[in-house]
Amino acid sequence: MAATKKTLLGPLVGAVDQGTSSTRFLVFNSKTAELLTHHQVELKQEFPREGWVEQDPKEILQSVYECIEKTCEKLGQLNIDISNIKAIGVSNQRETTVVWDRLTGEPLYNAIVWLDLRTQSTVESLSKRIPGNNNFVKSKTGLPLSTYFSAVKLHWLLDNVKKVQKAIKEDTALFGTIDSWLIWSLTGGANGGVHCTDVTNASRTMLFNIHSLEWDKDLCEFFDVPMKILPNVRSCSEIYGLMKAGALEGVPISGCLGDQSAALVGQMCFHDGQAKNTYGTGCFLLCNTGHKCVFSDHGLLTTVAYKLGRDKPVYYALEGSVAIAGAVIRWLRDNLEIIKTSEEIEKLAKEAGTSYGCYFIPAFSGLYAPYWDPSARGIICGLTQFTNKCHIAFAALEAVCFQTREILDAMNRDCGIPLNHLQVDGGMTNNKILMQLQADILYIPVVKPSMPETTALGAAMAAGAAEGVGVWSLEPEDLAAVTMERFEPQINAEESEIRYSTWKRAVMKSMGWVTTQSLESGTP
């Protein structure tokens, strides 16, 4: 029986899904897109000072190895031969910045996470150098000058960390986002590791020209970044190198996408106008705009969606980014301790059934789209003696939905085509109260695939479809049909609008809270 099971399965593809709060390794059947098994490890975040967010790059790498080994063990228990795994894709938290030494393989400082705010004063001083009538940073990159992107984090490391300065002088420093750090390490590290990234991750650094698809000399000069430390930019689907250690030694790494692009591919949004929203640590709504860059007048980002092969065309997307979504649940669990596990939030919210006029603006890292106000801070308002933890739990879920609504409104204004439904994915979509609230607040149906791991699926699809691997067909007629769950709006439109306009009033109260001085950094 075991032998027939092995032959029936056909080629498998693995995916590393390296997120802000956890790492996972998942294995898919390339013919049916079925998830066979996976393993997950939660990661620590460090907050050395107010507004600083860091992670240990070695802990991240170790978590990847652990997830791969444990998943392979689980496949063994299922009687599945791991030699069926023909390729590995990588998807990662974007913008998070690592600098390491190419001779020792050691990180020269902690990874500075995308949420980190230490570069606010850098952003302000650089903004003054951009001529008012020619925002060349935005026109080349599609991005506003913000603490969110890698260039300013790298600029801070070059300015403040002695080890980094020394490695630059000695020509041993390498820079990368998490995908680059992982691929370099997994393909041999100091012994011949491949230093590369893909177009989607490169497009989030603020150093990459999204029109020419190359590192930009003017941008590198503007941010004082030496070009020699940058990785080679490749497409999202090609063989970068082979695994050099562990259970999957010799398997090609052949897919790489920033997590939000991976989810767009995993949701099969291959056509102009298709959009998805991923609910993770943050919340990210991407709309495929085809081969053209659409620039937003309403605070959205223009970004590279994917390029599925060296000779394949590039696709672009409009993106709305919300900094805090799942992170607000983690905050209620770890900081306020009003829940013991993230799953409990659904029970509390259900008990309340309403926020009872309580509104929660989780601007822990300022506000991202559509406001881009780094001085905003989290507030809970509308409190009365009647308010209890159940109402606050409900308000936290509503906050995720209201932030998504703001982005959807901006997207509708930029594209002129209102979405008639929203495709969703990510860990938080298991929360049925959240999904129903989202449908009510958007006043359109919310559609969720029965297998919510679309980020990992997208990375697996890119890896399996790569030239030289060729086990996954991306032809529309070959893509496995996905079963969906639909949530229809259940409240009337007027009530939805009243709640939304009250939320917007609360947002105004959270803005302009912090002065730059309070974010000023010392040096490590």
Side-chain angles (χ1 to χ4, degrees), residues 393-414:
F394 195 96
L397 294 183
E398 272 195 321
V400 175
C401 301
F402 284 129
Q403 291 180 104
T404 299
R405 164 84 192 258
E406 293 195 286
I407 286 169
L408 208 64
D409 283 1
M411 214 162 258
N412 288 342
R413 289 198 292 273
D414 281 325

Side-chain angles (χ1 to χ4, degrees), residues 328-329 332 338-339 344-360 380 387-402 428 431-434 436-438 440-441 491 495 499 503:
V328 74
I329 315 299
L332 290 175
I338 67 172
I339 49 175
E344 273 177 53
I345 188 100
E346 188 169 3
K347 199 165 113 256
L348 282 190
K350 193 172 187 175
E351 224 169 282
T354 167
S355 67
Y356 208 80
C358 165
Y359 287 81
F360 191 160
I380 302 176
T387 312
N388 62 29
K389 65 181 183 180
C390 299
H391 300 122
I392 289 171
F394 195 96
L397 294 183
E398 272 195 321
V400 175
C401 301
F402 284 129
M428 289 183 86
N431 185 324
K432 287 189 165 20
I433 300 258
L434 178 74
Q436 187 55 55
L437 268 174
Q438 189 66 86
D440 289 347
I441 285 165
I491 63 171
E495 190 188 336
R499 276 155 68 175
W503 156 267

Side-chain angles (χ1 to χ4, degrees), residues 160 181 217 331 373 401 434 449 475:
N160 292 288
W181 163 243
K217 190 165 166 290
W331 182 81
D373 179 1
C401 301
L434 178 74
E475 295 304 319

Side-chain angles (χ1 to χ4, degrees), residues 234-290:
R234 315 273 284 269
S235 78
C236 308
S237 177
E238 58 180 89
I239 295 174
Y240 312 111
L242 306 181
M243 288 285 285
K244 283 293 190 291
L248 298 180
E249 190 175 342
V251 176
I253 299 175
S254 54
C256 179
L257 295 132
D259 51 10
Q260 304 315 321
S261 286
L264 196 73
V265 170
Q267 284 269 29
M268 297 169 206
C269 296
F270 292 129
H271 298 295
D272 202 334
Q274 286 185 303
K276 67 89 207 169
N277 197 26
T278 299
Y279 298 76
T281 298
C283 214
F284 301 89
L285 207 159
L286 268 71
C287 182
N288 187 333
T289 62

Side-chain angles (χ1 to χ4, degrees), residues 282-302:
C283 214
F284 301 89
L285 207 159
L286 268 71
C287 182
N288 187 333
T289 62
H291 302 307
K292 60 184 183 300
C293 290
V294 175
F295 282 87
S296 170
D297 297 322
H298 302 99
L300 303 180
L301 312 176
T302 306

